[in-house]
Amino acid sequence: MSSFLPCQLDQNGLLMPSDILRLSLPTVTRSTHRSSPVSIRSLDAASRTSLAKLYFEGYPLGVAAEDMASAREEIEATFRGDYGALRPDACATAWVNNRPVGAVMVVEHSIWDEWLDGPFIIDLFVHPRYRGLGAGRALVLHAIETCSVAGNAAISLRFGDGTSPAAMGLYESLGFTAYPSA
């Protein structure tokens, strides 16, 4: 498990858990990453059916979707904008051997936290068979760099039951820190 426990101070100065992580973005230019079997493509490069399959298989059973039908509906809802307006430039799919293996989905703003400014990662998922190859890191780095180049000041995400220790370690290694809720 990650070495940090996100928390915030309440009105009495007591530590309270927070489920929002935030990364302040420096102004950056695109960088090249070390050699990896993972390539990054646009979100549209994968079919919605393959995204639904990855979404369903990428989370523990029942955390994100109970079955493939509900996974398809979640993906369709994402594209409809039910969870916020997608940032097509920051969204991406990860590919290994010409096969989609994961995705990151980023919206303009969190619809759950109106006080939270800037882009928001609503989903990051990688097929279990392809974890450990750097797909999750490449996807989050794509979102970070895209939003930074676009001039955004920060990017945020929520974590919960579906967040693996590996994902929390990734977020920590990239500099995400707990962000107090309003």
Side-chain angles (χ1 to χ4, degrees), residues 10 94 105 114 124 151 163 172:
D10 70 7
M105 297 180 177
E114 294 177 9
L124 171 66
T163 307
E172 178 182 25

Side-chain angles (χ1 to χ4, degrees), residues 73-84:
E73 176 50 35
E74 287 286 323
I75 293 299
E76 288 303 322
T78 299
F79 279 94
R80 275 193 314 266
D82 292 3
Y83 308 115

Side-chain angles (χ1 to χ4, degrees), residues 16 18 33 46 72 74 76 106 113 129 172 176:
M16 300 292 293
S18 170
H33 302 291
R72 281 189 197 100
E74 287 286 323
E76 288 303 322
V106 181
D113 312 287
R129 190 174 330 138
E172 178 182 25
F176 282 85

Side-chain angles (χ1 to χ4, degrees), residues 7 20 35 43 55-56 58 69 78 80 87 94 96 116 134 138 150 167 181:
C7 57
I20 296 175
S35 178
L43 192 59
Y55 179 77
F56 179 67
T78 299
R80 275 193 314 266
R87 282 273 310 255
V96 173
L116 188 62
S181 330

Side-chain angles (χ1 to χ4, degrees), residues 94-128:
W95 294 69
V96 173
N97 296 327
N98 213 28
R99 170 181 306 200
V101 300
V104 64
M105 297 180 177
V106 181
V107 294
E108 289 288 339
H109 301 282
S110 170
I111 63 169
W112 303 278
D113 312 287
E114 294 177 9
W115 49 268
L116 188 62
D117 292 331
F120 192 82
I121 298 173
I122 59 170
D123 261 312
L124 171 66
F125 47 90
V126 175
H127 190 284

